[in-house]
Amino acid sequence: MLRLIIVAIFLVIFLILSLPFLLFEKLAAKHNQEKADYAQLRVVQWAFRVVAYLSGVRLTLIGLENIPGDSPVLYVGNHQSIFDIVIAYAHVPYRTGFVSKISNAKLPVVALYMKRLYCLFLDRDNIREGMKTILQAIDHVKNGISIFIYPEGTRNKNEDETVLLPFHNGSFKIAQKGRCPIIPVSINNSAAIFEKHVPFLHRTHVILEFGKPISYEELTPEARKDIGEHFRSILTDMIKKNQALI
């Protein structure tokens, strides 16, 4: 419980003290948008690394060199913990927005940071609004912003982390229409940090792997037809391979 209290205190202090910085960066963006974007990104990444450290996360990071620096990408990952975003976002090297559930848009202060960092809020119960969010994500990609999405659509609560929920094919429209590579991102053992023993945080070895970029145009017709299942299979194989490292 002590770890959780320490993390909560850190987050409250960070959010309060960084509000002036958030305002400053908003003003700075009028003069140099990209520079302000990266300054904001690095501050949030620092905070996420502190949260992971205080939570007892011991991270093995694989494949960071697979992320291209000359184009935005669509990151697609498996989702089993609230710590997935904390861990993954702390290590993306370039501007990236997460696709998050619509309820997070109401979080005080946190939502401000998310919007500033190009995060999008998806209402999965409203098809029309959901399509608008995907179109926004496509626009972000066309403007050089990578997008990170969890095609399972919700947190996977299966005890066996290799049993993924079905992937929504619509998530991959971002890569198809945005003409960007797709990078599969697997994470092992993140549920052991918190979800498996709420409300306690446990010291945990987590493995995060960025796979090699895959071009939508290079996929076979069969893979394109059921692209969700294709990438679900890729991520399942990555998770199984990395289980040996835990």
Side-chain angles (χ1 to χ4, degrees), residues 220-242:
T220 65
E222 291 78 12
R224 292 186 189 184
K225 184 177 180 179
D226 196 355
I227 191 168
E229 182 58 33
H230 179 73
F231 277 90
R232 181 171 177 263
S233 177
I234 290 174
L235 278 164
T236 298
D237 289 343
M238 292 170 66
I239 295 166
K240 287 180 178 178
K241 177 197 67 174
N242 290 331

mmCIF file of all heavy atoms in Angstrom, residues 220-242:
data_model
loop_
_atom_site.group_PDB
_atom_site.id
_atom_site.type_symbol
_atom_site.label_atom_id
_atom_site.label_comp_id
_atom_site.label_asym_id
_atom_site.label_seq_id
_atom_site.Cartn_x
_atom_site.Cartn_y
_atom_site.Cartn_z
ATOM 1 N N THR A 220 -0.326 -9.212 -47.597
ATOM 2 C CA THR A 220 -1.021 -10.014 -48.602
ATOM 3 C C THR A 220 -2.517 -9.684 -48.566
ATOM 4 O O THR A 220 -3.022 -9.176 -47.556
ATOM 5 C CB THR A 220 -0.843 -11.515 -48.330
ATOM 6 O OG1 THR A 220 -1.480 -11.837 -47.081
ATOM 7 C CG2 THR A 220 0.636 -11.883 -48.266
ATOM 8 N N PRO A 221 -3.245 -9.971 -49.634
ATOM 9 C CA PRO A 221 -4.697 -9.740 -49.627
ATOM 10 C C PRO A 221 -5.389 -10.454 -48.468
ATOM 11 O O PRO A 221 -6.337 -9.925 -47.883
ATOM 12 C CB PRO A 221 -5.148 -10.298 -50.980
ATOM 13 C CG PRO A 221 -3.943 -10.146 -51.865
ATOM 14 C CD PRO A 221 -2.771 -10.408 -50.967
ATOM 15 N N GLU A 222 -4.901 -11.643 -48.119
ATOM 16 C CA GLU A 222 -5.499 -12.406 -47.023
ATOM 17 C C GLU A 222 -5.288 -11.678 -45.684
ATOM 18 O O GLU A 222 -6.193 -11.617 -44.843
ATOM 19 C CB GLU A 222 -4.889 -13.806 -46.953
ATOM 20 C CG GLU A 222 -5.247 -14.717 -48.116
ATOM 21 C CD GLU A 222 -4.452 -14.412 -49.383
ATOM 22 O OE1 GLU A 222 -3.447 -13.641 -49.292
ATOM 23 O OE2 GLU A 222 -4.842 -14.908 -50.461
ATOM 24 N N ALA A 223 -4.069 -11.150 -45.497
ATOM 25 C CA ALA A 223 -3.772 -10.443 -44.253
ATOM 26 C C ALA A 223 -4.575 -9.153 -44.148
ATOM 27 O O ALA A 223 -5.046 -8.787 -43.071
ATOM 28 C CB ALA A 223 -2.280 -10.140 -44.171
ATOM 29 N N ARG A 224 -4.758 -8.471 -45.268
ATOM 30 C CA ARG A 224 -5.540 -7.232 -45.257
ATOM 31 C C ARG A 224 -7.006 -7.508 -44.951
ATOM 32 O O ARG A 224 -7.668 -6.711 -44.283
ATOM 33 C CB ARG A 224 -5.443 -6.527 -46.614
ATOM 34 C CG ARG A 224 -4.079 -5.960 -46.946
ATOM 35 C CD ARG A 224 -4.157 -5.174 -48.236
ATOM 36 N NE ARG A 224 -2.836 -4.784 -48.697
ATOM 37 C CZ ARG A 224 -2.617 -4.023 -49.774
ATOM 38 N NH1 ARG A 224 -3.651 -3.584 -50.481
ATOM 39 N NH2 ARG A 224 -1.400 -3.725 -50.143
ATOM 40 N N LYS A 225 -7.498 -8.627 -45.434
ATOM 41 C CA LYS A 225 -8.919 -8.958 -45.260
ATOM 42 C C LYS A 225 -9.271 -9.107 -43.783
ATOM 43 O O LYS A 225 -10.339 -8.669 -43.344
ATOM 44 C CB LYS A 225 -9.253 -10.244 -46.017
ATOM 45 C CG LYS A 225 -10.724 -10.617 -45.975
ATOM 46 C CD LYS A 225 -10.998 -11.856 -46.806
ATOM 47 C CE LYS A 225 -12.482 -12.227 -46.755
ATOM 48 N NZ LYS A 225 -12.772 -13.434 -47.575
ATOM 49 N N ASP A 226 -8.395 -9.722 -43.010
ATOM 50 C CA ASP A 226 -8.612 -9.861 -41.572
ATOM 51 C C ASP A 226 -7.359 -9.371 -40.864
ATOM 52 O O ASP A 226 -6.645 -10.110 -40.193
ATOM 53 C CB ASP A 226 -8.909 -11.314 -41.205
ATOM 54 C CG ASP A 226 -9.520 -11.428 -39.798
ATOM 55 O OD1 ASP A 226 -9.609 -10.383 -39.117
ATOM 56 O OD2 ASP A 226 -9.897 -12.536 -39.400
ATOM 57 N N ILE A 227 -7.115 -8.065 -41.026
ATOM 58 C CA ILE A 227 -5.870 -7.475 -40.537
ATOM 59 C C ILE A 227 -5.778 -7.535 -39.012
ATOM 60 O O ILE A 227 -4.695 -7.677 -38.444
ATOM 61 C CB ILE A 227 -5.737 -6.022 -41.040
ATOM 62 C CG1 ILE A 227 -4.321 -5.504 -40.771
ATOM 63 C CG2 ILE A 227 -6.807 -5.117 -40.454
ATOM 64 C CD1 ILE A 227 -4.021 -4.191 -41.484
ATOM 65 N N GLY A 228 -6.923 -7.469 -38.333
ATOM 66 C CA GLY A 228 -6.910 -7.556 -36.879
ATOM 67 C C GLY A 228 -6.375 -8.891 -36.405
ATOM 68 O O GLY A 228 -5.519 -8.960 -35.520
ATOM 69 N N GLU A 229 -6.837 -9.960 -37.000
ATOM 70 C CA GLU A 229 -6.378 -11.294 -36.629
ATOM 71 C C GLU A 229 -4.916 -11.486 -36.994
ATOM 72 O O GLU A 229 -4.166 -12.166 -36.272
ATOM 73 C CB GLU A 229 -7.246 -12.356 -37.311
ATOM 74 C CG GLU A 229 -6.886 -13.786 -36.950
ATOM 75 C CD GLU A 229 -6.965 -14.044 -35.453
ATOM 76 O OE1 GLU A 229 -7.815 -13.445 -34.770
ATOM 77 O OE2 GLU A 229 -6.146 -14.857 -34.953
ATOM 78 N N HIS A 230 -4.496 -10.883 -38.111
ATOM 79 C CA HIS A 230 -3.097 -10.986 -38.533
ATOM 80 C C HIS A 230 -2.170 -10.407 -37.471
ATOM 81 O O HIS A 230 -1.181 -11.050 -37.075
ATOM 82 C CB HIS A 230 -2.906 -10.247 -39.865
ATOM 83 C CG HIS A 230 -1.505 -10.272 -40.374
ATOM 84 N ND1 HIS A 230 -0.926 -11.411 -40.912
ATOM 85 C CD2 HIS A 230 -0.538 -9.305 -40.428
ATOM 86 C CE1 HIS A 230 0.321 -11.147 -41.284
ATOM 87 N NE2 HIS A 230 0.579 -9.882 -40.989
ATOM 88 N N PHE A 231 -2.479 -9.211 -36.979
ATOM 89 C CA PHE A 231 -1.612 -8.585 -35.985
ATOM 90 C C PHE A 231 -1.820 -9.179 -34.594
ATOM 91 O O PHE A 231 -0.903 -9.169 -33.772
ATOM 92 C CB PHE A 231 -1.820 -7.072 -35.976
ATOM 93 C CG PHE A 231 -1.026 -6.381 -37.053
ATOM 94 C CD1 PHE A 231 -1.577 -6.181 -38.306
ATOM 95 C CD2 PHE A 231 0.268 -5.987 -36.827
ATOM 96 C CE1 PHE A 231 -0.849 -5.576 -39.318
ATOM 97 C CE2 PHE A 231 1.021 -5.379 -37.834
ATOM 98 C CZ PHE A 231 0.457 -5.178 -39.083
ATOM 99 N N ARG A 232 -2.993 -9.692 -34.349
ATOM 100 C CA ARG A 232 -3.225 -10.405 -33.080
ATOM 101 C C ARG A 232 -2.296 -11.610 -32.994
ATOM 102 O O ARG A 232 -1.718 -11.890 -31.936
ATOM 103 C CB ARG A 232 -4.680 -10.837 -32.996
ATOM 104 C CG ARG A 232 -5.067 -11.575 -31.718
ATOM 105 C CD ARG A 232 -6.580 -11.749 -31.668
ATOM 106 N NE ARG A 232 -7.023 -12.507 -30.509
ATOM 107 C CZ ARG A 232 -7.291 -13.812 -30.519
ATOM 108 N NH1 ARG A 232 -7.174 -14.501 -31.647
ATOM 109 N NH2 ARG A 232 -7.687 -14.420 -29.422
ATOM 110 N N SER A 233 -2.118 -12.298 -34.116
ATOM 111 C CA SER A 233 -1.229 -13.455 -34.162
ATOM 112 C C SER A 233 0.228 -13.036 -33.960
ATOM 113 O O SER A 233 0.988 -13.699 -33.242
ATOM 114 C CB SER A 233 -1.392 -14.176 -35.504
ATOM 115 O OG SER A 233 -0.489 -15.259 -35.605
ATOM 116 N N ILE A 234 0.607 -11.920 -34.578
ATOM 117 C CA ILE A 234 1.980 -11.427 -34.432
ATOM 118 C C ILE A 234 2.274 -11.086 -32.973
ATOM 119 O O ILE A 234 3.323 -11.467 -32.419
ATOM 120 C CB ILE A 234 2.208 -10.189 -35.322
ATOM 121 C CG1 ILE A 234 2.210 -10.589 -36.807
ATOM 122 C CG2 ILE A 234 3.527 -9.489 -34.962
ATOM 123 C CD1 ILE A 234 2.273 -9.414 -37.754
ATOM 124 N N LEU A 235 1.358 -10.377 -32.333
ATOM 125 C CA LEU A 235 1.569 -9.984 -30.938
ATOM 126 C C LEU A 235 1.551 -11.187 -30.007
ATOM 127 O O LEU A 235 2.327 -11.242 -29.044
ATOM 128 C CB LEU A 235 0.506 -8.969 -30.517
ATOM 129 C CG LEU A 235 0.816 -7.530 -30.934
ATOM 130 C CD1 LEU A 235 -0.416 -6.646 -30.838
ATOM 131 C CD2 LEU A 235 1.921 -6.957 -30.056
ATOM 132 N N THR A 236 0.693 -12.164 -30.290
ATOM 133 C CA THR A 236 0.663 -13.378 -29.477
ATOM 134 C C THR A 236 2.016 -14.077 -29.513
ATOM 135 O O THR A 236 2.538 -14.517 -28.479
ATOM 136 C CB THR A 236 -0.438 -14.338 -29.970
ATOM 137 O OG1 THR A 236 -1.708 -13.701 -29.832
ATOM 138 C CG2 THR A 236 -0.441 -15.627 -29.151
ATOM 139 N N ASP A 237 2.605 -14.161 -30.695
ATOM 140 C CA ASP A 237 3.924 -14.796 -30.840
ATOM 141 C C ASP A 237 4.996 -14.008 -30.086
ATOM 142 O O ASP A 237 5.896 -14.608 -29.464
ATOM 143 C CB ASP A 237 4.301 -14.905 -32.321
ATOM 144 C CG ASP A 237 3.468 -15.943 -33.067
ATOM 145 O OD1 ASP A 237 2.847 -16.797 -32.407
ATOM 146 O OD2 ASP A 237 3.441 -15.899 -34.316
ATOM 147 N N MET A 238 4.930 -12.690 -30.135
ATOM 148 C CA MET A 238 5.911 -11.865 -29.423
ATOM 149 C C MET A 238 5.800 -12.072 -27.915
ATOM 150 O O MET A 238 6.805 -12.188 -27.211
ATOM 151 C CB MET A 238 5.706 -10.382 -29.777
ATOM 152 C CG MET A 238 6.057 -10.031 -31.216
ATOM 153 S SD MET A 238 5.541 -8.338 -31.674
ATOM 154 C CE MET A 238 6.603 -7.338 -30.618
ATOM 155 N N ILE A 239 4.571 -12.116 -27.422
ATOM 156 C CA ILE A 239 4.342 -12.306 -25.979
ATOM 157 C C ILE A 239 4.847 -13.674 -25.534
ATOM 158 O O ILE A 239 5.519 -13.795 -24.495
ATOM 159 C CB ILE A 239 2.848 -12.148 -25.648
ATOM 160 C CG1 ILE A 239 2.396 -10.714 -25.915
ATOM 161 C CG2 ILE A 239 2.568 -12.515 -24.193
ATOM 162 C CD1 ILE A 239 0.888 -10.544 -25.931
ATOM 163 N N LYS A 240 4.544 -14.711 -26.315
ATOM 164 C CA LYS A 240 5.001 -16.055 -25.967
ATOM 165 C C LYS A 240 6.513 -16.139 -25.947
ATOM 166 O O LYS A 240 7.106 -16.741 -25.049
ATOM 167 C CB LYS A 240 4.431 -17.055 -26.972
ATOM 168 C CG LYS A 240 2.932 -17.327 -26.826
ATOM 169 C CD LYS A 240 2.454 -18.335 -27.856
ATOM 170 C CE LYS A 240 0.972 -18.631 -27.676
ATOM 171 N NZ LYS A 240 0.475 -19.576 -28.716
ATOM 172 N N LYS A 241 7.163 -15.515 -26.918
ATOM 173 C CA LYS A 241 8.620 -15.537 -26.996
ATOM 174 C C LYS A 241 9.243 -14.868 -25.775
ATOM 175 O O LYS A 241 10.221 -15.384 -25.192
ATOM 176 C CB LYS A 241 9.077 -14.814 -28.267
ATOM 177 C CG LYS A 241 10.587 -14.696 -28.433
ATOM 178 C CD LYS A 241 10.943 -13.640 -29.456
ATOM 179 C CE LYS A 241 10.576 -12.262 -28.963
ATOM 180 N NZ LYS A 241 11.036 -11.167 -29.851
ATOM 181 N N ASN A 242 8.673 -13.752 -25.346
ATOM 182 C CA ASN A 242 9.261 -13.002 -24.247
ATOM 183 C C ASN A 242 8.916 -13.540 -22.864
ATOM 184 O O ASN A 242 9.535 -13.121 -21.874
ATOM 185 C CB ASN A 242 8.842 -11.520 -24.348
ATOM 186 C CG ASN A 242 9.493 -10.819 -25.532
ATOM 187 O OD1 ASN A 242 10.592 -11.185 -25.949
ATOM 188 N ND2 ASN A 242 8.827 -9.817 -26.074
#
